Amino acid sequence: MKNTVITFREAKQKGEKLTMLTAYDYSTAKLMDEAGINSILVGDSLGNVILGLEDTISVTMEDMIHHGAAVARGAKNALVIIDMPFMSYQSGVYDAVINAGRLMKEGRAGAVKLEGGAEVCPQIQAITAAGIPVVAHLGLTPQSVNAFGGFRVQGRSEAAAKKLMEDARAVEAAGAFALVLECVPARLAELVTGQLQIPTIGIGAGNVCDGQVLVYQDMLGMFSEFTPKFVKRFADVGEVMKEAFRAYCREVRSGAFPAEEHEYGMADGVLEKLY
Ligand code: KIV
């Protein structure tokens, strides 16, 4: 069944957990869709795991549209959410609406996600008023890594926890239909989840959130440069891939591949006519 904003609302009401993973291409999105995932996030984490950048700051609208459209073609039932990249919405409401619109029209998103609290509420209001569903994102918001002074857990002090609570209420009031909570203490995430009508989707925020999201390369063991504490490896696909690549190299070098069954035949006598 097609997942929509209504699926999110009803899941919260019924106490059913929502599933979300990131994806950046058609084939992966199709596999996730076939596995029954509720939602696929085309995260700007593609800067790290697809483009090999050290953060998400340089990711562009064109990157998000290009990968978002590929994911949308593979996702029949999952709700596709595309991240708004750095500086596509922070500069003001006008830019935010135009760029969210491009992610919908060109990227074929079902919703967009943006980072921040009270300071981006005018943008959330304007985007939702344009008929575009918005997911908010609080806690460790990677586009603000330079302001945070590095990737670290957020909301640990009383002041920071209070601010996060206020921001969560503000983005809900502004019209966000879900809230991603990244790298915050589990007890704070529980408090936020209990106070909001909209579902919270946790990543490094404990298991009381209404749903969970992970970067798929992390949960499949395909990205080994940095593995945060909150990641669980559900399979070691990276090792399986490396072993297959090694076997391919061995067989090509030895001449074992391609074998006869991989060849195309030709009618007898055709080649003789060429001489
Ligand atoms: O960009 C991303 O992948 C994200 C998730 C980590 C929530 O925003």
Side-chain angles (χ1 to χ4, degrees):
M1 233 188 43
K2 189 93 188 136
N3 288 271
T4 66
V5 291
I6 294 169
T7 317
F8 274 60
R9 189 168 62 222
E10 288 181 352
K12 172 99 183 184
Q13 284 161 359
K14 293 182 194 154
E16 288 169 5
K17 296 276 188 186
L18 288 158
T19 56
M20 184 187 290
L21 283 169
T22 68
Y24 318 93
D25 69 277
Y26 169 80
S27 311
T28 311
K30 192 159 182 287
L31 289 171
M32 287 176 186
D33 198 73
E34 286 165 2
I37 196 103
N38 292 119
S39 173
I40 299 177
L41 172 66
V42 187
D44 61 355
S45 52
L46 72 81
N48 308 96
V49 295
I50 301 294
L51 303 178
L53 302 169
E54 65 183 35
D55 55 41
T56 58
I57 300 297
S58 311
V59 174
T60 64
M61 278 293 296
E62 271 55 45
D63 293 331
M64 299 312 300
I65 288 168
H66 181 76
H67 289 272
V71 167
R73 287 191 285 271
K76 238 176 54 203
N77 292 317
L79 176 65
V80 176
I81 301 166
I82 305 186
D83 258 347
M84 299 198 69
F86 183 56
M87 278 304 143
S88 67
Y89 58 96
Q90 289 92 339
S91 48
V93 165
Y94 179 81
D95 284 348
V97 175
I98 295 292
N99 286 321
R102 285 194 68 200
L103 295 178
M104 302 296 282
K105 284 169 74 112
E106 299 171 55
R108 302 299 302 172
V112 300
K113 176 168 82 59
L114 52 78
E115 299 180 3
E119 72 284 3
V120 292
C121 280
Q123 284 89 327
I124 296 175
Q125 254 164 6
I127 297 169
T128 51
I132 301 171
V134 176
V135 178
H137 184 164
L138 291 172
L140 172 51
T141 44
Q143 292 175 16
S144 302
V145 61
N146 292 303
F148 293 147
F151 294 96
R152 47 186 88 228
V153 179
Q154 300 295 309
R156 275 187 156 150
S157 69
E158 187 188 332
K162 188 163 174 275
K163 167 93 170 75
L164 193 133
M165 280 294 317
E166 286 166 3
D167 279 340
R169 286 194 210 102
V171 295
E172 175 176 68
F177 77 93
L179 168 63
V180 168
L181 288 175
E182 179 165 357
C183 266
V184 299
R187 287 177 58 201
L188 176 60
E190 183 176 2
L191 199 65
V192 173
T193 301
Q195 297 222 349
L196 297 188
Q197 304 301 311
I198 59 172
T200 56
I201 310 294
I203 173 163
N207 76 357
V208 184
C209 292
D210 300 304
Q212 295 291 326
V213 58
L214 281 176
V215 171
Y216 92 83
Q217 283 86 348
D218 287 341
M219 56 90 74
L220 291 185
M222 293 170 67
F223 187 76
S224 51
E225 270 148 57
F226 174 67
T227 308
K229 179 182 175 192
F230 58 76
V231 169
K232 175 173 172 179
R233 231 179 228 192
F234 285 78
D236 200 350
V237 174
E239 203 38 55
V240 172
M241 287 173 79
K242 257 195 274 184
E243 194 37 53
F245 298 149
R246 283 187 209 111
Y248 170 79
C249 292
R250 263 196 316 271
E251 292 197 18
V252 169
R253 285 175 188 139
S254 72
F257 175 81
E260 218 176 313
E261 70 261 30
H262 306 117
E263 292 177 358
Y264 296 103
M266 210 174 172
D268 287 342
V270 174
L271 281 185
E272 283 69 11
K273 295 200 179 101
L274 300 181
Y275 296 106

